[in-house]
């Protein structure tokens, strides 16, 4: 028994020594394989395994190893093989693994020749990449009318002298109209007028200039700087074309955003059309609805298919237009020859009970078939020497016969739509709502801007300023902003100026502060200023505006009520006391000066917290370089500070009572 125990102990020692030698030699062989060149893929791993076993057997170990030793050796070889297969490729950030150059056939029953080659790897796909962004031109052209790319670009400095007599093929104006212009002191036409007059008047000439139903005129969109003569550009062709009319019908409709503009445009029509016999009416809500109805259509107890009208030209606001279109009997737009939308960007942005869709439906026969009764007995307006009192427009004339003739075909609408603005919209949705017919675009640019104009500038919103305008901005703290305005008025002696604020309340408060300042100061260098806002009644606003035009008032403090279209020739300065929030409002404000080639200056008081937004707005439209920053130091305002403190205290006491 002792001998058997000794034999077992000796066998365990022998097996332990054999295992240690085997592991040691295995480590040496592994290091050697790493240092040597790897074997080819066709070399089986079995040979190396057999060599390892021979070496193990050749050592001073028993010729027959027990089952545990062989099992341990085999497991270590398998683990070694798997570790080599999972080695990452050096220098790569991909999750790709390198195969062992000598695959072990004992690990799988798959034939060796069917395994992947050692240099092969899992398929590697390229990283996902974003597609190339479309160009600015492609983005700007999304939904834009292609005719805008082919717009006629006009040099803003171009003028054309008016010939006093003879034929003038350049402008197509009659001698009578040219003489009237010269009587008014207008000796030359501006760029927008020279381009637009031949386009509009030539389309009005023909067999039936009032009803060109077979050769329908093209619509037009005009983008021109403020003060470039847009009003006269549509007043002249309307006077020329409508002077041929025989019967009074509503043939020209001018839609404007404010009452003040309606009054101004009416004065222009009356001055140019003097002696032509054309009747001009307005509808703004300043008079009672019954009074306006009597002025437009008169009193009639019967319904007339052709409508009735006592005016040839109607100038109105959209709200009042809808009142008459829906509530005035015999008021019709079927005879319209011209539809003028002035300040188009503002009017298209305002709904007014969907006024635009209703106006287009009222003047287009394709949208207006509500009466199916035959009207073959009705005659044209100007096709007979003695027209009937209930004449229907040719485009609205339906005739039912057994045999259809060409003359009985539905005729096209003869209404020509004209859009005017200094900031004409490029919004595809708004332009599409107008249902323009083969539109022609006119863009007025200054000489330097015209040299650089390209298709991207045409389809993008770019606003043109008068070349004679000088622009400044003063950045200050909110607490001293009134002092900056006083510095401009009393130190720089600004007169004949418009001062714009953000609201009617700000307007009245600022006027009160300046009045207190003058009471606290000396009698020297006093100014006369008034507030002008929508809070005042219409009669008082008209009186104040007339005094300002007569230069009886030096400074007019106003809201944005008159920031569009108002033409006062002697305005030399515009001050934005409250900085405008968007570029369109800025363009229309500063456009009240430097009009018709005259010089002017624009000042904007910018609070420090607004400076980033204001500069970014100008930079977006490539206009920041033209606005010069002006610094006002404490030394510049030292002489005004004492009176300003007194005025500020009085204003505080007034509004806290």
């Amino acid at each position: 028994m002792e001998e058997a125990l000794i034999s077992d102990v000796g066998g365990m020692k022998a097996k332990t020594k054999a295992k240690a030698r085997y592991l040691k030699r295995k480590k040496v062989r592994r290091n050697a394989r790493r240092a040597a060149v790897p074997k080819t893929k066709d070399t089986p791993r079995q040979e190396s395994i057999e060599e390892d076993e021979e070496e193990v057997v050749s050592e001073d170990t028993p010729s027959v190893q027990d089952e545990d030793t062989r099992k341990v050796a085999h497991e270590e070889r398998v683990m070694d093989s798997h570790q080599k297969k999972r080695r990452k490729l050096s220098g790569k950030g991909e999750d790709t693994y390198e195969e062992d150059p000598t695959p072990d056939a004992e690990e799988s029953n798959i034939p060796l020749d069917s395994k992947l080659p050692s240099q092969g790897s899992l398929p590697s796909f390229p990283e996902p990449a974003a597609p190339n962004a479309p160009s600015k031109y492609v983005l700007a052209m999304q939904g834009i009318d292609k005719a805008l790319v082919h717009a006629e670009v006009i040099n803003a400095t171009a003028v054309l002298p008016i010939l006093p007599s003879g034929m003038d093929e350049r402008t197509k104006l009659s001698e009578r109209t040219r003489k009237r212009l010269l009587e008014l002191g207008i000796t030359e036409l501006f760029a927008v007028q020279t381009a637009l007059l031949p386009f509009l008047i030539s389309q009005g000439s023909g067999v039936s200039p009032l009803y060109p139903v077979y050769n329908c005129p093209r619509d037009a969109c005009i983008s021109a700087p403020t003060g470039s003569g847009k009003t006269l550009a549509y007043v002249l062709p309307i006077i020329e074309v409508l002077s041929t009319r025989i019967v009074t019908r509503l043939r020209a409709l001018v839609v404007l955003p404010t009452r003040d503009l309606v009054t101004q445009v009416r004065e222009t029509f009356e001055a140019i059309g003097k002696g032509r016999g054309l009747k001009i009416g307005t509808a703004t809500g300043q008079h009672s609805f019954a009074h306006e109805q009597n002025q437009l259509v008169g009193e009639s107890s019967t319904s007339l298919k052709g409508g009735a009208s006592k005016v040839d030209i109607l100038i109105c606001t959209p709200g009042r237009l809808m009142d008459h279109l829906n509530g005035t009997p015999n008021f019709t737009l079927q005879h319209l020859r011209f539809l003028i939308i002035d300040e188009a960007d503002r009017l298209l942005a305002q709904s007014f009970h969907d006024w635009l869709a209703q106006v287009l439906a009222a003047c287009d026969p394709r949208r207006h078939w509500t009466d199916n009764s035959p009207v073959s007995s009705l005659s044209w307006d100007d096709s007979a020497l003695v027209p009937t009192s209930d004449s229907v427009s040719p485009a609205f004339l339906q005739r039912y016969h057994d045999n259809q003739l060409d003359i009985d075909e539905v005729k096209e609408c003869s209404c020509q739509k004209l859009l005017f603005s200094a900031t004409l919209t490029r919004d595809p949705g708004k332009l599409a709502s107008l249902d323009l017919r083969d539109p022609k675009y006119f863009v007025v640019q200054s000489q330097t801007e015209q040299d650089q104009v390209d298709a991207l500038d045409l389809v993008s919103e770019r606003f043109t300023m008068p070349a004679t305008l000088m622009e400044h901005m003063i950045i200050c703290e909110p607490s001293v902003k009134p002092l900056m305005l006083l510095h401009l008025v009393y130190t720089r002696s600004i007169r004949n100026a418009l001062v714009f604020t953000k609201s009617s309340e700000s307007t009245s408060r600022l006027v009160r502060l300046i009045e207190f300042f003058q009471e606290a100061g000396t009698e020297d260098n006093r100014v006369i200023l008034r507030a002008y806002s929508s809070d005042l009644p219409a009669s008082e606003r008209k009186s104040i505006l007339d005094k300002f035009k007569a230069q009886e008032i030096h400074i007019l403090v106003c809201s944005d009520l008159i920031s569009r279209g108002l033409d006062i020739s002697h305005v030399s300065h515009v001050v934005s006391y409250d900085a405008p929030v968007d570029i369109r409002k800025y363009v229309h404000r500063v456009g009240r000066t430097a009009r018709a080639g005259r010089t002017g200056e624009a000042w904007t008081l910018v609070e420090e917290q607004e400076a980033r937004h204001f500069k970014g707005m100008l930079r977006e439209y490539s206009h920041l370089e033209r606005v010069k920053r002006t610094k006002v130091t404490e030394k510049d305002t030292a002489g005004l500070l004492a009176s300003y403190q007194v005025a500020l205290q009085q204003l505080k006491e007034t509004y806290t009572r």
Side-chain angles (χ1 to χ4, degrees):
M1 188 173 184
E2 293 179 359
E3 292 178 358
L5 182 61
I6 293 172
S7 176
D8 292 339
V9 173
M12 291 178 60
K13 291 182 178 179
K15 285 189 287 187
T16 303
K17 291 180 180 180
K19 183 176 180 181
R21 286 195 297 269
Y22 163 74
L23 295 176
K24 182 177 180 180
R25 294 194 178 194
K26 180 180 178 182
K27 183 177 180 180
V28 173
R29 288 196 301 272
R30 185 185 302 119
N31 294 336
R33 282 198 303 269
R34 290 177 180 175
V37 179
K39 296 181 180 181
T40 61
K41 62 181 180 180
D42 297 331
T43 304
R45 178 75 182 272
Q46 187 66 25
E47 297 179 359
S48 61
I49 296 175
E50 294 176 354
E51 293 176 358
D52 293 345
E53 292 178 350
E54 292 177 356
E55 291 178 0
V56 173
V57 174
S58 63
E59 295 294 332
D60 297 333
T61 58
S63 59
V64 180
Q65 297 182 356
D66 60 1
E67 186 69 21
D68 295 337
T69 304
R70 289 195 300 269
K71 185 176 180 181
V72 171
H74 176 71
E75 291 178 354
E76 291 182 352
R77 288 197 300 269
V78 173
M79 292 177 60
D80 186 39
S81 175
H82 282 296
Q83 289 176 357
K84 292 180 180 180
K85 287 183 179 181
R86 291 191 175 93
R87 288 186 310 200
K88 287 188 177 181
L89 294 174
S90 59
K92 296 184 179 180
E94 305 173 355
D95 293 335
T96 306
Y97 298 91
E98 179 186 15
E99 283 199 3
D100 192 9
T102 57
D104 192 353
E106 295 180 4
E107 299 179 21
S108 175
N109 296 325
I110 302 175
L112 293 177
D113 55 358
S114 65
K115 291 195 173 185
L116 295 174
S118 61
Q119 60 184 4
S121 61
L122 295 176
S124 177
F125 297 97
E127 295 183 358
N132 295 330
S135 63
K136 292 182 178 180
Y137 176 78
V138 173
L139 294 175
M141 282 297 296
Q142 296 296 319
I144 288 292
D145 190 349
K146 300 301 185 294
L148 184 58
V149 181
H150 306 288
E152 181 177 342
V153 182
I154 310 165
N155 183 9
T157 60
V159 294
L160 188 64
I162 298 176
L163 299 179
S165 61
M167 297 294 295
D168 189 358
E169 295 296 332
R170 305 169 302 170
T171 62
K172 304 293 183 180
L173 289 176
S174 64
E175 184 176 348
R176 184 176 182 179
T177 302
R178 283 181 275 131
K179 287 183 178 180
R180 180 58 185 161
L181 290 174
L182 294 174
E183 291 175 0
L184 296 173
I186 303 174
T187 58
E188 59 185 14
L189 299 176
F190 293 148
V192 64
Q193 300 158 5
T194 58
L196 201 58
L197 290 178
F199 175 78
L200 296 179
I201 298 178
S202 61
Q203 294 190 78
S205 61
V207 178
S208 181
L210 299 181
Y211 296 112
V213 292
Y214 294 113
N215 186 17
C216 299
R218 301 174 61 185
D219 297 333
C221 300
I222 299 91
S223 177
T226 55
S228 59
K230 294 187 293 294
T231 302
L232 201 60
Y234 63 78
V235 169
L236 288 173
I238 289 177
I239 297 294
E240 285 288 313
V241 174
L242 299 193
S243 295
T244 62
R245 68 102 174 90
I246 298 175
V247 178
T248 299
R249 290 286 184 267
L250 178 55
R251 307 184 194 273
L253 177 63
V254 182
V255 185
L256 298 164
T258 63
R259 297 175 179 177
D260 298 305
L261 280 181
V262 170
T263 303
Q264 179 177 291
V265 172
R266 176 170 184 165
E267 293 174 355
T268 305
F269 268 107
E270 291 175 343
I272 301 297
K274 183 179 180 180
R276 294 298 185 96
L278 295 175
K279 300 176 182 178
I280 304 168
T282 58
T284 60
Q286 292 183 351
H287 302 284
S288 66
F289 190 64
H291 175 78
E292 289 184 352
Q293 285 180 324
N294 185 51
Q295 294 293 321
L296 296 181
V297 299
E299 297 180 0
S300 177
S301 58
T302 61
S303 177
L304 304 175
K305 290 182 171 54
S309 179
K310 296 175 66 176
V311 298
D312 299 288
I313 302 168
L314 176 61
I315 312 166
C316 60
T317 55
R320 202 58 164 180
L321 175 61
M322 289 300 96
D323 294 339
H324 288 290
L325 195 60
N326 298 320
T328 300
N330 294 325
F331 182 82
T332 180
L333 303 180
Q334 62 177 280
H335 302 281
L336 274 189
R337 175 64 176 82
F338 295 99
L339 173 59
I340 312 297
I341 303 179
D342 203 351
E343 303 296 340
D345 60 313
R346 178 174 176 180
L347 288 176
L348 294 179
Q350 299 172 347
S351 60
F352 289 110
H353 305 290
D354 201 16
W355 72 271
L356 181 60
Q358 295 189 51
V359 170
L360 295 179
C363 63
D364 191 344
R366 295 171 298 178
R367 310 184 186 188
H368 198 269
W369 296 126
T370 58
D371 188 358
N372 295 324
S373 60
V375 291
S376 57
S377 61
L378 304 177
S379 62
W380 291 21
D381 267 26
D382 293 354
S383 62
L385 294 178
V386 185
T388 62
S389 61
D390 189 15
S391 298
V392 177
S393 169
F396 282 75
L397 188 63
Q398 297 185 70
R399 298 186 181 184
Y400 295 94
H401 297 284
D402 295 335
N403 298 321
Q404 292 290 332
L405 302 176
D406 290 341
I407 195 173
D408 298 321
E409 293 179 356
V410 176
K411 302 173 180 63
E412 293 290 334
C413 175
S414 58
C415 179
Q416 186 176 21
K417 296 182 283 290
L418 307 177
L419 278 69
F420 291 84
S421 182
T423 54
L424 186 63
T425 180
R426 268 72 164 176
D427 189 335
K430 294 177 182 177
L431 293 177
S433 64
L434 289 165
D435 193 20
L436 299 176
R437 178 171 49 205
D438 190 17
K440 173 72 173 178
Y441 289 84
F442 296 88
V443 179
V444 180
Q445 302 275 3
S446 63
Q447 184 65 48
T448 55
E449 292 170 340
Q450 189 182 23
D451 297 338
Q452 303 173 357
V453 71
D454 55 15
L456 181 59
D457 292 329
L458 293 177
V459 300
S460 304
E461 291 186 323
R462 294 290 184 268
F463 307 125
T464 304
M465 300 291 189
T468 56
L469 176 66
M470 298 179 61
E471 301 170 71
H472 312 270
M473 65 175 171
I474 299 176
I475 300 177
C476 60
E477 297 180 0
S479 58
V480 298
K481 190 165 67 169
L483 191 60
M484 297 298 105
L485 177 61
L486 296 174
H487 167 73
L488 294 177
V489 173
Y490 294 98
T491 304
R492 292 182 175 265
S493 300
I494 286 180
R495 300 294 185 273
N496 298 325
L498 293 174
V499 179
F500 288 99
T501 62
K502 61 184 178 182
S503 64
S504 301
E505 182 182 357
S506 299
T507 298
S508 58
R509 183 174 300 183
L510 186 59
V511 170
R512 185 68 65 88
L513 175 65
I514 297 177
E515 290 175 348
F516 287 150
F517 176 84
Q518 293 190 137
E519 293 175 0
T522 61
E523 296 295 328
D524 299 335
N525 203 17
R526 295 181 66 87
V527 297
I528 301 175
L529 73 162
R530 291 290 183 274
Y532 186 95
S533 66
S534 58
D535 291 344
L536 301 176
S539 57
E540 187 174 352
R541 291 206 307 266
K542 185 178 184 302
S543 175
I544 293 175
L545 201 58
D546 291 341
K547 290 182 180 180
F548 182 69
K549 291 180 179 179
Q551 301 188 30
E552 298 177 10
I553 297 176
H554 300 147
I555 297 176
L556 200 62
V557 183
C558 52
S559 59
D560 285 305
L561 180 65
I562 59 174
S563 64
R564 287 176 176 262
L566 189 67
D567 185 17
I568 303 176
S569 59
H570 70 274
V571 174
S572 58
H573 293 82
V574 170
V575 181
S576 291
Y577 179 78
D578 293 313
V581 296
D582 58 73
I583 189 66
R584 287 181 178 83
K585 186 170 291 186
Y586 177 81
V587 170
H588 287 286
R589 280 185 179 182
V590 302
R592 298 313 100 208
T593 186
R595 300 174 66 84
R598 295 181 289 267
T599 59
E601 290 187 82
W603 301 81
T604 305
L605 305 182
V606 185
E607 299 178 8
E608 290 183 347
Q609 64 267 24
E610 301 173 336
R612 183 176 181 180
H613 169 75
F614 183 73
K615 290 181 178 180
M617 177 185 70
L618 298 178
R619 187 181 296 108
E620 181 181 357
Y621 292 92
S622 304
H623 195 69
L624 181 59
E625 297 177 354
R626 285 199 55 179
V627 183
K628 307 300 181 183
R629 180 174 179 179
T630 302
K631 294 184 178 181
V632 180
T633 62
E634 295 182 358
K635 182 179 179 180
D636 298 328
T637 59
L640 308 172
L641 191 57
S643 299
Y644 170 68
Q645 294 291 348
V646 175
L648 204 61
Q649 182 62 30
Q650 292 180 353
L651 183 69
K652 183 178 179 180
E653 294 174 357
T654 301
Y655 280 91
T656 54
R657 290 175 184 173

